[in-house]
Amino acid sequence: MPGYVALVLHAHLPYVRHPEHVRSLEERWLFEALWECYLPLLGVLDRLAADRVVAPLTLSVSPSLLAMLRDELLLRRFEDHLRRLTALVARVEARFAGSGFAEAAAFYRARLADAASSWEALGGDVPGALVRHAGAGRVELLTTAATHAYLPGLLATPASIRAQLRLGRRAFTAFTGAPEPRGLWLPECAYAPGLDADLAAAGVRFTVLDAHALTLAAPPASAGASVPVLSPAGLACFGRDRDSAREVWSRDAGYPGHPVYREFYRDVGLDLPERELEGEVGPDGTRLMTGLKLHRVTGPGPDKAPYDPARAAAQARAHAADFVARREAALASIRGVSAPPILVAPYDAELFGHWWLEGPEFLEHALRRLAASDRAVPIALGAYLERHPPVEVVEPAASTWGEGGFGAFWTGPSASFLWRHAHHAERAVLGALSSRRHAGGLPGRALDQAIRELLLLQSSDWAFMMSAGEMASYAEARAHAHATRARRLASLAQQPTASPSDVAWLDALCALDPFLVELSGPALRGAFDPWR
């Protein structure tokens, strides 16, 4: 009985759009992910297609990310970002000519040129390129909740869970033109008993949970995480393979910490004199990561050697071979299961190329080796279910991935600021929805924008930043802004008349936060309704 390996990537970034700033620091998250992760990933898929390598993977793309990838302002700003980086790398290359850093500087020049060429070739349409690969069977596309909300945090108000699920799937179709996908990525892999009924009612057939959701299930899944199970509502649940996660995620115990790989935390934006950066600094001279990093990991200390791209690429190929060999051995060790075992290896897509520069190279060679293996066959999650429908029924345990594994990172004391604002705003918006569901004109516009602001407020990213302590002040500012706007909009939607200043404010806000403008009226308002 052959075994399977499912590589699952989850592509998501928080919705960040700041037209009020010429060069927003937070918008750089999208720009970095585009040239470091998403365009290289498309390059991997293109090369596999050209070589007729059959190694399908599963890719979830969030509506928040899709909205930004369809935003003309952000796309133009990305092109400006690429031009500035290209100019910077030319200066860096001239500065380090003949030194031990020359090869690394030349590597970045070539990588940026590839990004610009790829961007031009696809006309800036990353979602369209993914849909084409999906149509050819190389990728199975999934999506997630509308704004990547931490769904167990909304259990007290199930209307918001329904809206996050419905609008996530509707937005995916609006942005891609593809049908609503069969699977859904649960934000933060977060599950609570009872969520399966909402997922099933939304039309979701399968999802991925962390391993302990199945090993601690009631009753425990007989095959652990190596065979999917059915929830009481009929949702197929795959379990994450922990060994695959550790090998790729861990900087200390996994592949990314190898001494020859690029060191993430050394960057020319931090190392070079400000006069040589020519504007690539933040407000008041704040130093920024540019993405141009010339050192390798070397060791745990502060002393870092120059990055050698050829050695790093060779190591990525060796690690890909090791990864596949370990999956083959793990599958061979599984006995007594009712269906062919499957090792599900899910990761944030942004790991590959941003945090781990060599990640796309590793991914490509892992897929090539899996395609040639008869012991670890690559497969998309939906295709596995078609061949081997699960039969065992269990109630998965409440769980998440990440620190702790049970949600404290998203609901603990550091994140309480978010939830206080989210629940107050939710009550205001649902109250306006109850009384003005069929409103048109300005009250209708205010109601629709109130819903959008509530959705943006519910993003799990703000809780993550607050608990991680990185960008916490930005997360708190975003949460406060969306909550304040949602409450004021809900009030405006219920007023019989509006002042000229209210009209001007609403116009400005709709231009500032045009998230999900593709959906309005019944498509937005009906998303909160009970399941039928």
Side-chain angles (χ1 to χ4, degrees):
M1 183 165 59
Y4 296 95
V5 173
L7 288 171
V8 182
L9 303 184
H10 175 51
H12 165 69
L13 292 174
Y15 183 77
V16 173
R17 184 182 188 274
H18 291 294
E20 71 275 21
H21 301 302
V22 176
R23 287 170 61 181
S24 162
L25 300 185
E26 292 77 23
E27 287 178 358
R28 294 169 72 101
W29 300 340
L30 173 65
F31 307 154
E32 291 165 354
L34 271 167
W35 80 270
E36 293 175 334
C37 307
Y38 307 147
L39 292 174
L41 174 60
L42 287 174
V44 169
L45 295 173
D46 289 343
R47 288 188 293 275
L48 294 178
D51 293 342
R52 298 184 179 180
V53 175
V54 180
L57 57 81
T58 302
L59 174 65
S60 167
V61 190
S62 76
S64 304
L65 176 57
L66 287 169
M68 293 188 290
L69 292 175
R70 291 298 191 199
D71 190 295
E72 288 299 324
L73 171 70
L74 294 177
L75 300 186
R76 290 197 306 272
R77 287 184 171 183
F78 170 64
E79 292 168 357
D80 291 339
H81 183 78
L82 267 188
R83 284 191 286 269
R84 292 197 308 272
L85 274 188
T86 299
L88 176 59
V89 81
R91 297 193 297 273
V92 169
E93 197 170 12
R95 186 188 203 277
F96 290 106
S99 76
F101 297 104
E103 288 187 36
F107 165 82
Y108 281 108
R109 171 173 47 79
R111 191 176 180 94
L112 283 165
D114 285 345
S117 176
S118 298
W119 182 257
E120 183 178 1
L122 56 86
D125 186 5
V126 171
L130 291 173
V131 169
R132 287 192 294 275
H133 281 294
R138 290 182 284 273
V139 172
E140 178 183 34
L141 292 178
L142 312 183
T143 194
T144 186
T147 54
H148 209 261
Y150 179 80
L151 296 180
L154 301 175
L155 286 172
T157 48
S160 280
I161 294 177
R162 296 192 293 268
Q164 282 282 344
L165 295 176
R166 281 177 170 138
L167 293 175
R169 290 164 61 76
R170 291 173 188 172
F172 174 85
T173 294
F175 288 129
T176 65
E180 291 186 0
R182 295 176 295 175
L184 184 131
W185 178 267
L186 281 173
E188 317 304 354
C189 265
Y191 181 80
L195 276 179
D196 61 323
D198 289 307
L199 290 161
V204 177
R205 184 182 173 195
F206 64 86
T207 193
V208 177
L209 306 178
D210 211 325
H212 58 291
L214 302 188
T215 57
L216 299 178
S222 60
S226 62
V227 173
V229 297
L230 288 176
S231 75
L235 178 75
C237 300
F238 291 89
R240 181 169 74 140
D241 177 52
R242 288 187 169 173
D243 290 337
S244 301
R246 183 182 64 255
E247 291 163 14
V248 175
W249 268 119
S250 174
R251 181 180 171 88
D252 298 323
Y255 302 134
H258 192 280
V260 305
Y261 286 148
R262 190 274 309 269
E263 169 60 54
F264 177 80
Y265 293 100
R266 287 291 296 273
D267 189 286
V268 300
L270 307 179
D271 289 345
L272 295 188
E274 183 176 336
R275 65 180 181 276
E276 298 185 26
L277 297 173
E278 293 191 11
E280 288 304 303
V281 294
D284 302 319
T286 304
R287 290 307 188 95
L288 305 174
M289 291 277 200
T290 66
L292 308 181
K293 308 168 192 293
L294 307 182
H295 296 80
R296 59 185 177 90
V297 173
T298 311
D303 296 328
K304 304 295 181 182
Y307 179 61
D308 183 337
R311 285 185 65 192
Q315 188 60 58
R317 296 186 188 97
H319 277 150
D322 179 73
F323 178 84
V324 173
R326 288 173 180 266
R327 304 291 78 72
E328 289 174 336
L331 288 166
S333 70
I334 297 173
R335 298 283 189 275
V337 294
S338 58
I342 179 171
L343 302 180
V344 179
Y347 312 101
D348 283 339
E350 294 75 23
L351 167 69
F352 296 90
H354 178 63
W355 299 105
W356 183 18
L357 176 70
E358 301 79 10
E361 182 125 17
F362 165 87
L363 185 65
E364 178 175 344
H365 287 279
L367 288 168
R368 289 180 182 274
R369 284 187 170 270
L370 287 169
S373 174
D374 58 1
R375 293 179 290 166
V377 179
I379 196 168
L381 296 180
Y384 179 93
L385 290 181
E386 290 176 358
R387 299 181 194 179
H388 310 289
V391 294
E392 184 178 13
V393 179
V394 306
E395 175 62 84
S399 54
T400 67
W401 70 354
E403 184 176 327
F406 292 100
F409 201 73
W410 290 274
T411 59
S414 297
S416 60
F417 179 93
L418 171 69
W419 294 107
R420 181 171 66 253
H421 280 295
H423 291 309
H424 283 309
E426 184 182 49
R427 283 194 291 272
V429 173
L430 292 181
L433 181 62
S434 175
S435 64
R436 300 305 304 272
R437 168 181 289 270
H438 302 295
L442 186 138
R445 289 181 62 212
L447 179 57
D448 287 350
Q449 191 62 29
I451 291 170
R452 296 184 183 106
E453 297 293 338
L454 176 63
L455 295 170
L456 290 169
L457 170 61
Q458 292 169 341
S459 169
S460 73
D461 299 286
W462 317 136
F464 179 89
M465 293 178 194
M466 291 173 192
S467 292
E470 298 179 4
M471 301 299 296
S473 59
Y474 177 76
E476 291 176 3
R478 286 290 301 268
H480 184 269
H482 291 307
T484 301
R485 295 167 188 167
R487 292 195 299 269
R488 181 177 173 184
L489 287 161
S491 175
L492 184 58
Q494 298 176 84
Q495 294 176 9
T497 60
S499 68
S501 62
D502 284 335
V503 175
W505 176 76
L506 177 59
D507 290 341
L509 183 57
C510 290
L512 184 70
D513 279 344
F515 179 66
L516 292 193
V517 293
E518 295 78 7
L519 303 175
S520 62
L524 274 179
R525 303 171 200 178
F528 293 87
D529 292 346
W531 304 115
R532 293 183 178 86

